[in-house]
Amino acid sequence: DGGITQSPKYLFRKEGQNVTLSCEQNLNHDAMYWYRQDPGQGLRLIYYSQIVNDFQKGDIAEGYSVSREKKESFPLTVTSAQKNPTAFYLCASSIGAGVAYEQYFGPGTRLTVT
Amino acid sequence: AQKVTQAQTEISVVEKEDVTLDCVYETRDTTYYLFWYKQPPSGELVFLIRRNSFDEQNEISGRYSWNFQKSTSSFNFTITASQVVDSAVYFCALSEANYGGSQGNLIFGKGTKLSVKP
């Protein structure tokens, strides 16, 4: 089945630790995205990548880092510099980077930092 | 300024009632797309529909219908004869041709939580 996988579904970390969230897609999509969702809020864009080896900051990139070494993979690292890392993180992909393309989402990772 | 407004934070209906979810957007672009996504309790967003700015025809898909009106900058979503399985958070989103220099990035509303009771 084609789709987007995110692992793990729940993640717990101690404050001050970096943590990497996995996102893999087998849809052969060029573009990939990371969003953050807080309770009662819409999704906010953290980073996006339109093509392999290239990525751009979204609206709330501070405290996060990404890499795009393979078309299928777009891992997100939540660093200790992120002040409020506890949130629900969603990865998405689209066929291309353009205004017309719908994005398909993974199941999300719920990160709790204490 | 908020670009996508979903004024209804929560709606509760009884099964078989019709319900309309409102979405108002703001953009200066002439070329843009509007989307609706459903987020069930499992958390994954499910794509429902895409509409471009040049197509104001209403769309119907089963019990779902969408009303796009450029004159009022609205893209409302109606569920006819609601069912318990429709319970979810619904997001409206906008994609502008020239948003932040990056085409295709979605701007989401804050969502409307729909609860359908049996």
Side-chain angles (χ1 to χ4, degrees):
Chain A
D1 281 31
I4 301 173
T5 56
Q6 291 185 245
S7 61
K9 189 163 181 65
Y10 298 94
L11 192 53
F12 299 88
R13 279 294 182 269
K14 294 289 187 185
E15 194 173 330
Q17 292 179 337
N18 291 356
V19 58
T20 297
L21 281 58
S22 166
C23 177
E24 304 278 333
Q25 55 99 358
N26 60 5
L27 300 168
N28 201 32
H29 285 176
D30 284 325
M32 297 187 74
Y33 311 81
W34 273 105
Y35 292 91
R36 170 183 172 135
Q37 184 179 20
D38 294 285
Q41 300 295 314
L43 278 67
R44 292 182 291 168
L45 182 65
I46 305 173
Y47 266 98
Y48 63 97
S49 169
Q50 298 180 344
I51 198 168
V52 175
N53 292 323
D54 182 63
F55 49 83
Q56 305 294 331
K57 293 181 179 180
D59 299 321
I60 55 166
E62 186 176 348
Y64 300 98
S65 65
V66 294
S67 63
R68 185 85 186 277
E69 298 176 1
K70 298 187 300 181
K71 187 175 186 177
E72 313 81 60
S73 179
F74 191 40
L76 173 74
T77 297
V78 184
T79 75
S80 56
Q82 168 51 231
K83 296 178 182 177
N84 297 297
T86 294
F88 187 52
Y89 291 88
L90 285 154
C91 178
S93 71
S94 60
I95 290 176
V99 67
Y101 300 115
E102 65 267 26
Q103 295 178 18
Y104 294 90
F105 286 79
T109 292
R110 195 167 298 279
L111 173 65
T112 302
V113 177
T114 57
Chain B
Q2 193 169 357
K3 292 198 170 187
V4 179
T5 302
Q6 296 180 256
Q8 304 148 309
T9 304
E10 292 193 40
I11 300 176
S12 183
V13 299
V14 177
E15 209 169 18
K16 297 184 183 176
E17 282 187 26
D18 299 347
V19 57
T20 296
L21 309 181
D22 297 332
C23 174
V24 174
Y25 63 92
E26 177 188 332
T27 180
R28 294 180 181 178
D29 281 356
T30 55
T31 301
Y32 55 90
Y33 281 74
L34 296 161
F35 303 79
W36 275 95
Y37 284 86
K38 173 182 180 179
Q39 186 178 40
S42 61
E44 181 173 343
L45 266 73
V46 177
F47 166 72
L48 295 178
I49 190 172
R50 174 189 61 198
R51 173 65 72 209
N52 76 58
S53 52
F54 301 107
D55 182 2
E56 287 194 72
Q57 283 191 355
N58 291 336
E59 176 137 354
I60 299 174
S61 176
R63 295 184 297 107
Y64 295 172
S65 63
W66 290 269
N67 184 309
F68 175 33
Q69 291 194 336
K70 289 178 75 170
S71 60
T72 56
S73 296
S74 65
F75 186 44
N76 297 337
F77 173 30
T78 297
I79 301 175
T80 302
S82 60
Q83 299 177 2
V84 172
V85 293
D86 296 326
S87 296
V89 180
Y90 291 87
F91 289 98
C92 179
L94 166 71
S95 178
E96 299 172 307
N98 296 302
Y99 172 59
S102 306
Q103 294 186 6
N105 291 343
L106 291 175
I107 306 162
F108 284 86
K110 294 189 176 184
T112 297
K113 183 177 181 180
L114 174 64
S115 298
V116 182
K117 302 182 192 296

